[in-house]
Structure formats: C-alpha cells, structure tokens
Amino acid sequence: IALGAGAVVAAGVGIALGVNARGLESQARAAHYETDFYAYGDGARANAMGANVAFAVAGAAAAACVVTWILSD
C-alpha cells in the first residue's frame, strides 16, 4: 500500500511541476525583456525536468507495487 501511495504522490508532484512549467513557459513567451525570457525559460526547464523525474519515480513505485502484490501471494 505504501508503494502505491508513493506512486500517487509522485504523480501528483509531477503534475504540479508540469503545470507550473507550462505557466513559466507562457510567461517566457510573453516576456518583453531578454533577461525575463531567459529567467522564465530556465525556471520552466527546471520544473519540466523535475516533472519528468517525478513521473519516473511514480512509474517505478507503481511497478514495484504491482510486483510486490503479485509476489506476496
């Protein structure tokens, strides 16, 4: 159960970071100054990377949960 809950939490974190990355990307595209463009773009890339890592952790935790459930019988 803990692995399943961890997968759900990691997926939620990934979704939140992904949504935030999209928002920062939109702000970067709307920026009037080059420094703002790069600042928002860097933040968007960092959040997107965090989202990808969180989704990978969620997938691994979900797979471990399924394997543990199958082998527990």
Side-chain angles (χ1 to χ4, degrees):
I1 292 177
L3 287 172
V8 170
V9 169
V13 169
I15 290 169
L17 287 173
V19 168
N20 194 24
R22 286 287 192 163
L24 288 172
E25 179 188 19
S26 296
Q27 288 178 337
R29 291 181 189 272
H32 296 290
Y33 301 106
E34 186 176 2
T35 55
D36 292 340
F37 173 78
Y38 286 119
Y40 289 130
D42 289 343
R45 278 188 290 282
N47 280 337
M49 177 64 74
N52 290 340
V53 170
F55 287 135
V57 169
C65 181
V66 169
V67 168
T68 302
W69 177 66
I70 289 171
L71 296 178
S72 67
D73 290 336

